[in-house]
Amino acid sequence: MFIRTKYLNQLINNMDQPTIKILVGVRRCGKTTILDQFRATLRRQEISPSQIQVINFEYLLENELCNPEYLLQFILDRLSKHQMNYIFLDEVEVVPQFARVVNALNSLSNTDVYITSSNKTILEKENLQQMTPYIIIPVFPCSFREYIKRNQQEADSQTLYQYLNEGGFPYTHEIHGPINLRNYVNGIINTIIITDFVQQATLCNPGLTKQLAHHLAHHAGTTQNISQIVDSLKRHHITTSNKTVDFYLQFLQTSFIFYPCKEYDFSRRHVKSTNIRYYPVDPSIRQALTLKKNVLSQRILENIVFIDLLSQGYQVYSGRIKDNEITFVAIKNDIFTCIQIAYSLADDGAYRRAISGLRQLSSKYRKLLITVKPALNYAGLDPDIEIIDLYSWLTN
């Protein structure tokens, strides 16, 4: 089993602390497996099985354990009184008033609580206020650096092409053949669209939701607004309204299939509510929805970098200064890293166009030019612009 060290270490570092550990991410990205790996760590430390309780609610929708009062008492009755107890609640958001149950468990002096969710609603303010203190651990499908480590491969164009078309969902490593792979990823998408809508007791048009997901996948990395999407769907003989599309668009983000990338305007120093781009959480999502192989194109590579930045804990926006676009503005600990992605720098003109936006930014910002093909001949021409190749960036 491939050990996802980055996530496992976060759990180990927060073990036995009075904080609720909340793992969130798209279905099948590996949250449950990470908790399995953590429980293996507990067993190696000679933690008794009687100190560990595991409940996975994914298949318990009609079970009495989904009754919050019954669930709480069920767990309390099985606690080891004079030892630390490790409580794991998988997909806990299906339980009504789950936050109250989790908080009650965490308030005990001999419990260490871990929960997972595939729905962003668990992070709503009213839920988090009931589950303090907490630590949120966003989980993503395997990154490119994890992919090559798991497969013991070198970081090169051939391996990247494989990653773009196989994706990073952990179980895809066990699947052989592009058709089987596409069916598996489509199964994830369909489960999210149908199951999660049912859990929310919401009327759903699965066909429209899938068409919207297809539109976002096909236009990943391009600026979108609701009216544009409605018009595009109408051109494909799908009649809908702005309100409906907005609702379904929020759902696709809530279930972590797509992530929004808003625009940061350097001239006004604020994030705009319009000019939003959407990126699928994994390259296999785009391939499954569009039925097209992913290639080493500018937009698809931007997608990989965007999700990689999110997985490293950055807030990520697209950037604009005057008439120049900056591919990404990544912010962590109030430090701005401004990134321009260029597939290649064929000549001096291409280099000047690539860095035109970065040149206009203040020197207080870190500036990166990421290229797929080596650009060593341009290194050092602009001292405050660091040039790095894509493979080095993705494997650091």
Side-chain angles (χ1 to χ4, degrees), residues 358-369:
L358 296 177
R359 273 179 167 169
Q360 294 185 51
L361 294 175
S362 167
S363 58
K364 68 180 180 181
Y365 301 122
R366 184 189 179 199
K367 306 174 190 180
L368 289 180
L369 175 60

Side-chain angles (χ1 to χ4, degrees), residues 269-293:
R269 297 185 181 180
H270 84 295
V271 177
K272 300 173 67 174
S273 58
T274 57
N275 297 342
I276 303 175
R277 305 174 185 183
Y278 297 92
Y279 293 98
V281 67
D282 187 75
S284 64
I285 294 287
R286 179 190 179 278
Q287 188 199 48
L289 287 169
T290 64
L291 301 179
K292 295 179 180 179
K293 284 191 173 184

Side-chain angles (χ1 to χ4, degrees), residues 52-76:
I52 300 173
Q53 294 191 52
V54 181
I55 303 176
N56 188 336
F57 294 95
E58 183 172 2
Y59 307 107
L60 297 177
L61 290 180
E62 303 300 327
N63 193 283
E64 57 190 348
L65 284 172
C66 289
N67 179 300
E69 287 77 18
Y70 182 90
L71 172 63
L72 179 58
Q73 195 59 52
F74 179 88
I75 295 173
L76 293 176

Side-chain angles (χ1 to χ4, degrees), residues 34-139:
I34 292 166
L35 291 184
D36 286 341
Q37 294 173 356
F38 178 66
R39 286 192 289 272
T41 300
L42 295 179
R43 290 191 292 271
R44 286 193 292 271
Q45 296 181 15
E46 299 185 352
I47 301 297
S48 168
S50 63
Q51 296 172 247
I52 300 173
Q53 294 191 52
V54 181
I55 303 176
N56 188 336
F57 294 95
E58 183 172 2
Y59 307 107
L60 297 177
L61 290 180
E62 303 300 327
N63 193 283
E64 57 190 348
L65 284 172
C66 289
N67 179 300
E69 287 77 18
Y70 182 90
L71 172 63
L72 179 58
Q73 195 59 52
F74 179 88
I75 295 173
L76 293 176
D77 290 344
R78 288 159 178 77
L79 293 180
S80 297
K81 293 184 179 180
H82 304 296
Q83 295 174 301
M84 180 60 75
N85 292 266
Y86 300 90
I87 313 298
F88 298 90
L89 305 177
D90 222 339
E91 303 296 347
V92 71
E93 76 278 0
V94 306
V95 179
Q97 303 177 48
F98 67 86
R100 182 171 59 84
V101 175
V102 171
N103 185 61
L105 292 170
N106 193 59
S107 66
L108 303 175
S109 61
N110 64 334
T111 56
D112 192 10
V113 182
Y114 301 78
I115 65 176
T116 76
S117 177
S118 300
N119 196 297
K120 201 174 182 179
T121 55
I122 199 172
L123 304 180
E124 291 177 351
K125 185 177 180 180
E126 62 185 62
N127 290 326
L128 293 180
Q129 285 178 336
Q130 297 183 67
M131 296 192 297
T132 56
Y134 59 83
I135 177 174
I136 299 170
I137 303 175
V139 180

Side-chain angles (χ1 to χ4, degrees), residues 212-213 215-226 228-229 245-246 249-250 252-253 257-262 273-281 299 303 306-307:
L212 176 58
H215 174 90
L216 295 179
H218 185 74
H219 296 89
T222 61
T223 301
Q224 299 287 307
N225 64 51
I226 301 297
Q228 286 177 329
I229 296 173
V245 167
D246 184 46
L249 184 59
Q250 294 302 318
L252 291 174
Q253 296 170 73
I257 303 180
F258 286 89
Y259 282 78
C261 182
K262 296 182 178 181
S273 58
T274 57
N275 297 342
I276 303 175
R277 305 174 185 183
Y278 297 92
Y279 293 98
V281 67
R299 292 296 184 194
N303 195 155
F306 174 73
I307 296 298

Side-chain angles (χ1 to χ4, degrees), residues 186-223:
N186 264 313
I188 295 174
I189 297 169
N190 293 334
T191 298
I192 292 171
I193 290 175
I194 297 173
T195 303
D196 286 0
F197 260 126
V198 170
Q199 288 178 5
Q200 295 177 33
T202 304
L203 291 175
C204 167
N205 182 335
L208 176 56
T209 312
K210 194 78 175 282
Q211 284 293 331
L212 176 58
H214 175 273
H215 174 90
L216 295 179
H218 185 74
H219 296 89
T222 61
T223 301

